[in-house]
Amino acid sequence: MRTALLQSSGRPGSVVENLKVLDEAAGRAAAAGAGLLITPEMFLTGYAIGDGIARLAEPADGDSADAVAEIASRHGLALAYGYPERDGETVYNSAQLISADGTRQANYRKTHLFGCFERDHFAPGERQVVQAELNGLRVGILICYDVEFPENVRAHALAGTDLLVVPTAQMHPFQFVAESMIPVRAFENQMYVAYVNRAGREGEFEFVGLSALAGPDGVARARAGRGEELVFADTDPAFLAAAREANPYLQDRRPGLYGSLV
């Protein structure tokens, strides 16, 4: 499945404008044969928008979700996008996967919140593994800081995730996560990892870009630069199966030794 990574900070504070950016990118991605387009963390509203997070937060099945579903079905490709999710009085940092026919397939709430900014504006999610079947692949979702905890990615590996989608807002000076950690996570867990970042300065944060799709061999199939960009890479189930056969990490685990980890 050809996968498109939209590295962009969109238009912070404007859902309407970000939907336009998404629509345009979806058109380009579909024309290039992509079956899935992934946006960064909090793409729908912007990340560093302060109290605007609570004001713009919507339910998972809200008006913006309907608008994204319309874009997906009109262009004929699945969309995974980051947004602030409202559930009653609680707001989560979430990512949702919508299929090419506009069906809501999966919704994930970020479980590991980074820094005071996120802890001031969001509640943490409590469900570690969220998955959906898409074009013959089992797709899982994490968000940004979540992927830096090896336990999270290993839980996905043990649950059979083939492609791990990670919308992110990775900022300076932590670019080593994009450059080094993501390929290692893909290799040690025998999966594809799509890490899709914001770009440029937004409020107090400088996002570093460097979005990548890494394969189970630890090689980045696509790597963006530091600016706004749409990049593509293919996920190959046959290659994934061969890599899992060649790399015995998951088979050679000894869970009985790991009790002290929890």
Side-chain angles (χ1 to χ4, degrees), residues 229-247:
E229 195 171 348
L230 183 67
V231 298
F232 299 88
D234 293 325
T235 54
D236 181 353
F239 181 82
L240 181 61
R244 288 172 171 172
E245 182 69 25
N247 185 332

Side-chain angles (χ1 to χ4, degrees), residues 85-217:
E85 178 193 355
R86 177 171 294 283
D87 185 356
E89 295 301 312
T90 305
V91 176
Y92 298 96
N93 184 338
S94 296
Q96 184 152 227
L97 174 65
I98 293 181
S99 70
D101 66 2
T103 302
R104 293 174 50 244
Q105 285 197 294
N107 189 70
Y108 172 77
R109 296 167 172 174
K110 189 174 185 178
T111 55
H112 294 71
L113 301 178
F114 179 77
C116 295
F117 177 83
E118 290 194 4
R119 289 192 288 270
D120 286 345
H121 289 92
F122 302 107
E126 298 296 333
R127 187 177 173 190
Q128 185 182 38
V129 176
V130 172
Q131 298 170 310
E133 299 296 325
L134 182 67
N135 295 343
L137 293 171
R138 184 170 296 179
V139 177
I141 307 172
L142 292 176
I143 298 175
C144 198
Y145 195 40
D146 289 329
V147 80
E148 298 178 38
F149 292 81
E151 300 88 347
N152 283 338
V153 188
R154 181 51 53 88
H156 271 275
L158 296 177
T161 292
D162 299 315
L163 169 61
L164 185 62
V165 169
V166 188
T168 190
Q170 180 64 62
M171 57 199 70
H172 178 81
F174 305 111
Q175 50 265 31
F176 68 89
V177 174
E179 294 171 333
S180 301
M181 185 181 291
I182 295 307
V184 170
R185 287 286 181 268
F187 179 75
E188 68 189 2
N189 291 288
Q190 289 299 286
M191 62 175 63
Y192 288 97
V193 179
Y195 188 77
V196 187
N197 200 10
R198 305 179 71 83
R201 181 166 292 279
E202 186 180 333
E204 63 184 290
F205 305 113
E206 180 186 348
F207 299 112
V208 300
L210 302 175
S211 299
L213 194 150
D217 55 356

Side-chain angles (χ1 to χ4, degrees), residues 14-113:
S14 176
V15 173
V16 170
E17 291 301 315
N18 288 326
L19 287 169
K20 291 179 181 178
V21 173
L22 180 62
D23 191 11
E24 189 272 338
R28 287 194 287 150
L36 171 64
L37 170 65
I38 308 167
T39 81
E41 181 177 6
M42 292 285 289
F43 178 79
L44 200 60
T45 61
Y47 182 89
I49 59 172
D51 292 340
I53 290 172
R55 177 173 54 83
L56 295 175
E58 295 185 29
D61 59 354
D63 291 344
S64 292
D66 290 343
V68 174
E70 191 278 328
I71 292 171
S73 60
R74 178 156 43 82
H75 292 290
L77 82 169
L79 297 175
Y81 68 100
Y83 75 108
E85 178 193 355
R86 177 171 294 283
D87 185 356
E89 295 301 312
T90 305
V91 176
Y92 298 96
N93 184 338
S94 296
Q96 184 152 227
L97 174 65
I98 293 181
S99 70
D101 66 2
T103 302
R104 293 174 50 244
Q105 285 197 294
N107 189 70
Y108 172 77
R109 296 167 172 174
K110 189 174 185 178
T111 55
H112 294 71
L113 301 178

